[in-house]
Amino acid sequence: MPDRTALVTGASGYVGSQLVPALLEQGWTVRVLARNPGGLAQAWRDRVDVVQGDATDPDALAEALAGCRVAYYLLHSMDGKGDYRDRDRRLARRFADSARAAEVGRIVYLSGLHPQGRLSDHLASRVEVGEILLESGVPTAVLQAGVVLGEGSASFDMLRHLTERLPVSFGPKWLRNRIQPIAVSDVVHYLVRAADLDPGVNRTIDVGMPEQLTYLEMMRRYAAATGLGPRLVGTVPVLTPRLASLWVGLVTPVPAGIARPLVGSLINDAVKSEDDAATLLGDPEGGLKGFEDAIALATRDIDPRRWGRTLATVSAAVAATAVAGSLLTDPDSAWSRSLRKPTWQPPASAFPIVWTGLYAIIAVATTAAITEAEEAGDLEKAADLRRSLAVNLPLNAAWSGIFFRSRNLPAATLGAAALAASSADLARRAAATGSGKAVGLGLYAVWCGFATALSAELARLNR
């Protein structure tokens, strides 16, 4: 085998997919281990040696590692399942044993910046994996990075979507913790250079741009760099990582299973404890990118104002529906007061409170679903969501007219049933863009189902 053969695991992931072409450019023969070769980037898929298999399979690992001078370990679990730490531990040990047996010259692993002391479960797992690899008997370089800035990075996607979609918001108090982000191109540069480290180097290496920022500062500077308006973000002490991840799942396309460990990691500072990367690996030509330069590169193919435009259109339609429904509603009329009502009907004061919250959810969740479908290039799905909303909102306003103005209780029951079915359809379509949107719109559908049952009972009691 050629002396400069590199194995890249996780090659279909965000960093791995950019590391492969960078290694090819530097003259490496690249091999990748992939469960699904069809998921590899078409731009370089035919230029690499593909071993089809899973890193949990010792035979596949042995085949992939045979004759490699360096092996990149870019595997970790971020699926929110409770056993991911144990899975990561077992996977790292198997990889370490296989690399040692194959007499690999070096392992390179990408971990996370972290302080000493108690860590989030996600960061603690990343650190433990690094320790397992360092103790493998194979010279190992554990590069430790903070938030990686680049389109497709889960950390960056969360940052940009929260910034674009929340001009005013409240987050956990640990959004004020310190972070040293880094551009993805600089991470890839360091990863490539790590392959040629002296065999005596077996250690962690912290990487990051010189500037330390808080998450709040990154949100504000992202907004400024992309021409968005000022972002007003406050912090509250009671928002737990689990609650915050559900909120992130509603507002952004980042799945809750990924958002939860990312959000949880923010409880820790993520700054460098040493500056040896430049000496050991050499900085990129021209130096490390600053925050604004990294954002400019990351947003080359992104429209940061898409969310705002869509929200304005959807909100206008939802607001018009709310106004129309309010004008048609007359709970204080003599007819309404004379109705016999079931004991389980909520007090009249509850309805405007519930509907205000639901209208806000409809606007935000539907905007998020439409925007995410468009950004994924699925214009037909986005059009279906718009059509579903265009059916739902007139049904919403019409129910008030049928009930309070026409005073036709059987017809109002049918109208409520149609609205509930339409709301469920809207939630179903939104679910394809993320569970958070489905949950939010699902609450709307459940309330409409309750309204249907209430209308039916009113019709029965007042025949």
Side-chain angles (χ1 to χ4, degrees):
M1 296 296 293
D3 185 48
R4 288 176 65 81
T5 298
L7 170 67
V8 178
T9 62
S12 60
Y14 175 64
V15 173
S17 64
Q18 299 190 55
L19 173 62
V20 169
L23 288 168
L24 290 169
E25 289 177 10
Q26 294 300 313
W28 285 87
T29 298
V30 179
R31 183 182 301 153
V32 302
L33 175 64
R35 283 176 293 183
N36 177 23
L40 299 172
Q42 290 185 352
W44 49 257
R45 187 168 58 201
D46 294 335
R47 300 172 60 197
V48 303
D49 176 19
V50 179
V51 175
Q52 185 169 5
D54 193 289
T56 60
D57 180 357
D59 293 335
L61 270 181
E63 180 183 354
L65 288 163
C68 286
R69 176 173 161 184
V70 60
Y72 287 90
Y73 189 79
L74 303 178
L75 304 173
H76 59 271
S77 301
M78 280 184 29
D79 54 12
K81 296 180 181 178
D83 63 345
Y84 73 87
R85 290 191 64 175
D86 182 59
R87 284 184 283 133
D88 275 353
R89 184 184 304 116
R90 287 185 282 109
L91 193 63
R93 286 175 177 160
R94 182 176 293 112
F95 188 88
D97 292 342
S98 297
R100 183 175 59 252
E103 299 183 346
V104 171
R106 172 163 297 283
I107 295 172
V108 181
Y109 170 56
L110 181 60
S111 186
L113 289 171
H114 61 277
Q116 297 298 316
R118 183 176 179 274
L119 302 175
S120 70
D121 286 345
H122 172 57
L123 267 180
S125 178
R126 300 287 293 275
V127 171
E128 182 182 17
V129 167
E131 292 171 346
I132 290 171
L133 298 176
L134 287 167
E135 296 169 359
S136 66
V138 178
T140 297
V142 177
L143 274 60
Q144 300 183 144
V147 172
V148 176
L149 301 175
E151 183 185 2
S153 159
S155 296
F156 172 74
D157 286 346
M158 190 170 81
L159 169 68
R160 90 166 180 94
H161 285 110
L162 288 176
T163 305
E164 291 172 6
R165 301 177 179 194
L166 298 174
V168 179
S169 65
F170 290 91
K173 62 181 180 180
W174 21 268
L175 289 183
R176 298 189 181 277
N177 289 353
R178 296 175 301 147
I179 300 168
Q180 259 177 300
I182 186 169
V184 66
S185 58
D186 292 339
V187 171
V188 171
H189 165 84
Y190 285 135
L191 287 169
V192 172
R193 288 295 187 90
D196 288 317
L197 280 168
D198 185 275
V201 176
N202 186 67
R203 54 167 291 181
T204 61
I205 304 172
D206 292 352
V207 298
M209 61 181 59
E211 191 171 14
Q212 295 183 12
L213 302 167
T214 67
Y215 205 90
L216 297 182
E217 289 170 338
M218 288 198 296
M219 291 177 70
R220 289 165 181 155
R221 286 175 62 171
Y222 177 91
T226 55
L228 301 172
R231 264 41 190 169
L232 303 176
V233 184
T235 58
V236 294
V238 295
L239 199 57
T240 66
R242 182 174 181 83
L243 289 175
S245 68
L246 294 174
W247 166 64
V248 169
L250 174 64
V251 178
T252 81
V254 179
I258 295 177
R260 192 169 300 123
L262 289 178
V263 170
S265 296
L266 293 174
I267 66 174
N268 300 116
D269 286 338
V271 298
K272 296 190 294 182
S273 59
E274 44 84 4
D275 284 305
D276 293 348
T279 302
L280 291 168
L281 303 172
D283 284 341
E285 185 177 354
L288 292 165
K289 293 177 178 62
F291 185 82
E292 277 68 25
D293 288 339
I295 294 302
L297 287 172
T299 56
R300 283 178 302 182
D301 301 319
I302 291 174
D303 179 3
R305 296 181 178 84
R306 184 194 302 272
W307 165 270
R309 292 194 305 271
T310 305
L311 180 63
T313 302
V314 172
S315 294
V318 173
T321 300
V323 170
S326 178
L327 293 174
L328 292 170
T329 299
D330 188 10
D332 295 323
S333 68
W335 173 81
S336 181
R337 291 198 304 271
S338 70
L339 290 174
R340 296 176 61 193
K341 300 177 177 65
T343 57
W344 45 272
Q345 177 171 323
S349 60
F351 288 91
I353 296 172
V354 171
W355 275 113
T356 298
L358 288 175
Y359 283 133
I361 289 174
I362 295 167
V364 172
T366 307
T367 296
I370 292 171
T371 303
E372 285 150 29
E374 290 177 343
E375 289 187 345
D378 195 338
L379 301 184
E380 184 57 34
K381 182 184 294 180
D384 285 343
L385 283 160
R386 292 181 187 275
R387 285 191 288 267
S388 183
L389 184 66
V391 170
N392 182 268
L393 294 181
L395 287 172
N396 186 302
W399 181 88
S400 296
I402 297 171
F403 187 93
F404 289 102
R405 301 301 174 179
S406 297
R407 300 176 180 178
N408 187 327
L409 296 180
T413 301
L414 292 176
L419 177 59
S422 173
S423 302
D425 176 68
L426 185 60
R428 177 185 64 83
R429 295 180 187 278
T433 65
S435 59
K437 273 71 71 178
V439 170
L441 291 170
L443 292 174
Y444 172 43
V446 168
W447 177 258
C448 292
F450 171 76
T452 302
L454 180 58
S455 298
E457 183 64 6
L458 286 169
R460 187 188 70 81
L461 292 174
N462 293 274
R463 282 183 296 194

